[in-house]
Amino acid sequence: MKRKLIILTDPGQDQAAAILMILGRPDVFDVLGLVATAGNIHLDYTLENCLKLMVLAGRPDIPVFAGCPQPLMRPLVIADHVHGPTGLDGPTLPAPVVRPQDGHGVDFIVDTVRAHPGEVTICALSPLTNLAMALRKAPDIADKIVEVVAMLGAYFEVGNITPSAEFNCYVDPEAADIVLNAGIKTTLLPLDVTHKMLSTPARLEAMRALGNRCGVATAEMLEFSQAFDLHKYGWEGAPLHGPCVPAFMLTPEIFSGRQINVSVELTGRVTLGMTVADWWQITDLPRNAFWVRDGDPVAYYDLLLEALGKLP
Ligand code: BDR
């Protein structure tokens, strides 16, 4: 049976790569809808970017919903310094051909999970605002979600938006805290693993050489967004975060990690939004997440290229 997905996302070039990777594997994934999230850029842009990506991938039939325009309790922090003023700068993407769905993304999550109890996986490529809102509005859905697989957090690699916090957690730490304490099976793909998945020149060239519009556009997007990270880290390529989520769902065996307690710092003076990962199981706190620490970058990029190559 195909895996039913709701994608929470704020594209963002690496989210775009992840979404395209998912759409390139319709043999495995059944995408029920996307919920645009405020994160890398403001909601009006992330919504428009989702719609453009559906056209690029030849899937304007997939419903796109607007989620919340801001985090639960804090002003929105964006990352236009990485992703550009539209959040998805780089190539010129096709204009949307359909409107966003009527109704709110939070209600879409609630209604869809209730309609398919025990069947829906939440694929989170963004701050967790809309899932947290859905859990607050309809706590019964926690038992009905198969799993949350999220790009979120950092521990061994420390932070990327502050010295201690990863962006998706920092933007809405209260939402991450709600989700991590909801009793849902959860897998986190933190910077500890995404920092090993570097978009080297050879990998981007292979992507471009696919020759199809999705492969070329993804290479152009990543060439834009990697500039900030190449300068910041001085590595041979930039970390490619988002596609770790579908890659984990496709082939968990290329990753390794541990089931541990993960707590989110909500009050720290200099550690707000930090994910405190109890890697050595020092506490007796519930082991609420599978924390992925390592992965095989060669297999990862092979999977990504294979999926992108199946798209228009
Ligand atoms: C996350 O932050 C965003 O800026 C990236 O797109 C990714 O989702 C990495 O910390």
Side-chain angles (χ1 to χ4, degrees):
M1 197 168 84
K2 292 186 194 181
R3 191 161 178 160
K4 290 184 171 53
L5 296 185
I6 294 175
I7 302 176
L8 315 179
T9 186
D10 57 342
Q13 293 84 354
D14 65 294
Q15 290 79 15
I19 292 165
L20 293 173
M21 185 177 183
I22 290 167
L23 297 180
R25 294 301 303 266
D27 53 323
V28 178
F29 299 120
D30 175 13
V31 180
L32 302 179
L34 274 65
V35 179
T37 308
N40 280 321
I41 199 75
H42 297 280
L43 181 64
D44 48 353
Y45 278 116
T46 64
L47 187 58
E48 172 102 351
N49 293 343
C50 285
L51 293 168
K52 287 179 174 177
L53 289 169
M54 294 307 100
V55 181
L56 180 69
R59 294 300 309 273
D61 56 298
I62 295 178
V64 175
F65 292 81
C68 300
Q70 58 191 36
L72 298 186
M73 294 174 64
R74 300 172 189 276
L76 179 64
V77 174
I78 62 171
D80 56 348
H81 56 291
V82 181
H83 303 279
T86 70
L88 195 53
D89 282 53
T92 303
L93 294 176
V97 297
V98 290
R99 304 266 321 133
Q101 299 291 308
D102 292 334
H104 198 281
V106 170
D107 295 321
F108 169 68
I109 296 171
V110 172
D111 296 345
T112 306
V113 170
R114 281 180 175 163
H116 303 279
E119 292 184 23
V120 178
T121 295
I122 304 292
C123 167
L125 309 169
S126 65
L128 294 171
T129 311
N130 295 296
L131 179 56
M133 282 290 281
L135 287 163
R136 280 294 191 255
K137 187 171 184 194
D140 62 284
I141 66 169
D143 289 342
K144 301 182 177 76
I145 293 171
V146 175
E147 184 178 5
V148 175
V149 187
M151 192 279 121
L152 182 136
Y155 193 65
F156 297 97
E157 279 293 299
V158 298
N160 62 355
I161 187 71
T162 72
S164 52
E166 181 278 328
F167 180 80
N168 287 338
C169 195
Y170 182 76
V171 169
D172 201 338
E174 283 78 14
D177 183 59
I178 288 169
V179 172
L180 279 165
N181 289 300
I184 308 170
K185 180 183 178 194
T186 297
T187 296
L188 297 179
L189 285 304
L191 299 186
D192 301 345
V193 64
T194 70
H195 277 195
K196 293 173 176 145
M197 305 301 182
L198 301 184
S199 58
T200 60
R203 288 170 180 156
L204 289 185
E205 190 42 48
M207 201 174 283
R208 189 186 280 279
L210 289 171
N212 59 343
R213 70 175 189 238
C214 287
V216 173
T218 307
E220 289 177 356
M221 286 183 222
L222 297 179
E223 274 155 12
F224 179 92
S225 60
Q226 71 174 4
F228 179 83
D229 280 349
L230 291 181
H231 177 71
K232 176 178 171 185
Y233 298 114
W235 296 337
E236 57 165 347
L240 183 54
H241 310 287
C244 283
V245 173
F248 182 84
M249 290 190 282
L250 284 164
T251 54
E253 59 275 13
I254 70 168
F255 295 93
S256 60
R258 286 186 190 173
Q259 187 72 28
I260 57 169
N261 178 265
V262 180
S263 300
V264 178
E265 178 58 85
L266 299 177
T267 56
R269 187 173 57 85
V270 292
T271 52
L272 178 67
M274 181 178 180
T275 41
V276 179
D278 188 3
W279 184 256
W280 300 112
Q281 287 150 36
I282 289 162
T283 70
D284 291 325
L285 294 169
R287 298 182 189 184
N288 55 346
F290 186 75
W291 183 271
V292 181
R293 187 171 173 185
D294 210 348
D296 174 352
V298 174
Y300 174 68
Y301 277 91
D302 284 349
L303 270 178
L304 176 59
L305 289 182
E306 182 194 346
L308 291 177
K310 293 179 193 291
L311 290 168

